[in-house]
Amino acid sequence: MASGTQISITERVCRSCGGDRLETFLDLGKTPLADRLVNPTDLGSPEPRFPLRLAFCRDCSLVQITETVDPKILFADAYPYYSSFSPALLEHSRQNAAELIARRGLGAQSLIIELASNDGYLLKNYVEAGIPVLGIDPADGPAAAANAIGVPTRCAFFTREFARSLRSDGVRADVIHANNVLAHVADTNGFVAGIAGILKDDGVAVIEVPYLEPLIQHCEFDTIYHEHLCYFSVTALDKLFRRHGLFLNDVRQLSIHGGSLRLYVEARERVQDSVKAMLACESETGLDSIEYFRTFSTKVDRLKQGLLAMLQNLKSDGASIAAYGAAAKGATLINAAGIGRNFIDFVVDRNVHKQGKYMPGQRLPICAPDELLRTQPDYVLMLAWNFTDEILSQQQEYRARGGKFIIPVPTPHVVQ
Ligand code: DWN
Ligand code: ZN
């Protein structure tokens, strides 16, 4: 990483509306980049750390982190996230595509564009149905993997300018997918304006984002990291899209990733009851006011202390503990709570691109999942708790031998 170049800036105004009435309500200190795993050759070098603070915008209700780290550092080389390592996510995506193909009569004359298309995990469903696609992703590894399976993919950041170049080439989409990317982009308005620029007049943008409400209610503070710049409510999203002549017409709540929203955004206004009901509910619960967030920091501290006490007691009783999931959220959890080699011997993960590397900050070694059967630790801390069911079902043998999982969120508890 080049020294001397400015690699992060502290935002003074809201990423969405530009308002200057931001109020910080959670400070997780200076943390390393959650997705930048440490190579063995870099163990002797310090990692850059950046402030990780969460703020609420009093003008448009957007919750956001205050530090913007250069996207070229966050997402380009060696970005290790490959969507296809999760069978649950693959099935979730297959169902999404199948429903849209049927509902909108998509076919050989259609064009589906996915922003942050990763390794082709979603677009491949359209390719198999003979429907033209275009993937756009800035991470060279996943983009190359997508092209290798026949999903045409451009390795680029989707920006306002990139959208203009597509539009000038006559590219317009019937469907635009953007899953778990809207929260990641430094130029939130430019990204949305880009969507508006390449969406057909009768097209739909189908966008998935983690939902702010379960993050607060279930204390999913570990999903806060520098790659996630925004944490969305329907209230804030509605304002963001309207600013660019787009309308949030329909919304669904999903369980994936600890609670997400699937947004249906169009160039014509026809707002469904689903959106009206969520706007009313958020106003009722206070998701559009700073008071709702004032106790979150205390909730986070309580979870951290409870988890540390549990781990301390287990270690005092002579237990051995590993962890499952070299996830970005796992990096936030172990660094915010100070969970290192004092408690955890190693982390396992199915993503082969992560094995052999080390977790950011705490430098825990990452191994393949079969390390659990080889060494049979007494407990495994579930860092990828959003895939608990899937992982527990895979680890029947480890559990049959007496191994137990610790689920840290929403309150630390042990699963046999
Ligand atoms: O927004 C993002 C979310 C949606 O996904 C990205 N910024 C990065 C990523 O966040 P994460 O790293 O916390 O993602 P996951 O997908 O929750 O991490 C799960 C980890 O667990 C992955 O490294 C894959 C691994 N895994 C595994 O080893 N065995 C996952 C499953 C399902 C498994 O069976
Ligand atoms: Zn704002």
Side-chain angles (χ1 to χ4, degrees), residues 310 314 376-382 388-389 391-407 412-416:
M310 178 185 284
L314 293 174
Q376 193 63 35
D378 298 309
Y379 294 87
V380 175
L381 176 60
M382 182 70 87
T388 291
D389 294 345
I391 293 167
L392 289 182
S393 68
Q394 289 167 16
Q395 294 299 326
Q396 299 283 3
E397 177 57 25
Y398 164 75
R399 297 165 66 197
R401 296 184 188 180
K404 300 179 187 66
F405 278 84
I406 301 166
I407 315 299
H413 62 282
V414 174
V415 171
Q416 303 285 349

Side-chain angles (χ1 to χ4, degrees), residues 209-221 223 232 253-261 278 287 292 296 299 385 409-410:
V209 295
Y211 185 27
L212 177 62
E213 195 268 348
L215 189 162
I216 301 297
Q217 286 307 312
H218 304 150
C219 203
E220 298 169 359
F221 79 96
T223 61
F232 289 116
Q253 294 195 55
L254 308 170
S255 60
I256 199 157
H257 294 309
S260 297
L261 296 175
M278 288 199 76
L287 221 62
Y292 181 86
F296 187 56
K299 275 176 79 172
W385 47 261
V409 171

Side-chain angles (χ1 to χ4, degrees), residues 51-350:
L52 190 55
R53 299 188 196 98
L54 208 54
F56 173 84
C57 172
R58 290 173 173 277
D59 294 319
C60 76
S61 303
L62 181 67
V63 170
Q64 55 205 283
I65 60 172
T66 58
E67 202 73 12
T68 300
V69 177
D70 184 337
K72 292 184 188 62
I73 292 171
L74 289 177
F75 298 110
D77 61 311
Y79 182 64
Y81 183 72
Y82 287 71
S83 302
S84 295
F85 278 101
S86 162
L89 185 62
L90 290 174
E91 176 56 16
H92 169 85
S93 306
R94 188 197 63 75
Q95 290 175 11
N96 188 8
E99 181 185 318
L100 284 162
I101 291 171
R103 243 174 59 185
R104 301 185 72 88
L106 301 171
Q109 303 312 311
S110 309
L111 176 62
I112 317 300
I113 296 178
E114 184 178 11
L115 314 179
S117 49
N118 200 265
D119 57 10
Y121 75 101
L122 168 61
L123 289 178
K124 69 180 184 182
N125 294 288
Y126 292 101
V127 171
E128 288 160 10
I131 299 171
V133 303
L134 173 63
I136 299 168
D137 196 290
D140 46 12
N147 280 309
I149 63 167
V151 174
T153 300
R154 300 272 297 274
C155 186
F157 284 98
F158 181 73
T159 61
R160 199 192 297 257
E161 295 70 28
F162 188 76
R164 281 196 190 114
S165 71
L166 289 174
R167 186 180 175 100
S168 62
D169 293 344
V171 174
R172 301 287 295 281
D174 295 275
V175 176
I176 294 173
H177 284 284
N179 291 340
N180 296 299
V181 58
L182 182 57
H184 296 63
V185 292
D187 181 3
T188 309
N189 281 294
F191 190 85
V192 175
I195 290 174
I198 60 168
L199 187 66
K200 281 184 181 175
D201 294 344
D202 61 349
V204 62
V206 184
I207 301 168
E208 290 184 12
V209 295
Y211 185 27
L212 177 62
E213 195 268 348
L215 189 162
I216 301 297
Q217 286 307 312
H218 304 150
C219 203
E220 298 169 359
F221 79 96
D222 52 348
T223 61
I224 298 163
Y225 35 85
H226 295 98
E227 289 87 346
H228 281 176
L229 298 169
C230 298
Y231 299 78
F232 289 116
S233 62
V234 174
T235 303
L237 286 162
D238 187 53
K239 291 177 169 63
L240 171 62
F241 291 120
R242 285 177 181 272
R243 191 175 302 120
H244 300 280
L246 294 173
F247 300 92
L248 174 54
N249 285 334
D250 193 5
V251 61
R252 283 188 207 166
Q253 294 195 55
L254 308 170
S255 60
I256 199 157
H257 294 309
S260 297
L261 296 175
R262 180 180 290 161
L263 315 169
Y264 296 86
V265 177
E266 297 172 308
R268 54 189 173 171
E269 185 173 12
R270 47 188 191 139
V271 180
Q272 310 292 309
D273 289 345
S274 59
V275 174
K276 294 172 185 170
M278 288 199 76
L279 289 171
C281 182
E282 289 185 355
S283 177
E284 181 68 30
T285 55
L287 221 62
D288 56 358
S289 66
I290 182 60
E291 284 65 31
Y292 181 86
F293 302 93
R294 288 203 194 286
T295 58
F296 187 56
S297 184
T298 306
K299 275 176 79 172
V300 171
D301 287 342
R302 197 178 308 128
L303 188 154
K304 289 193 295 188
Q305 296 317 317
L307 180 57
L308 285 171
M310 178 185 284
L311 296 176
Q312 189 56 60
N313 290 338
L314 293 174
K315 291 303 285 182
S316 304
D317 293 346
S320 55
I321 309 173
Y324 195 118
K329 61 174 72 67
T332 293
L333 182 70
I334 62 176
N335 287 311
I339 299 171
R341 299 275 183 116
N342 50 344
F343 296 114
I344 306 294
D345 298 330
F346 59 87
V347 179
V348 297
D349 195 294
R350 282 203 322 184

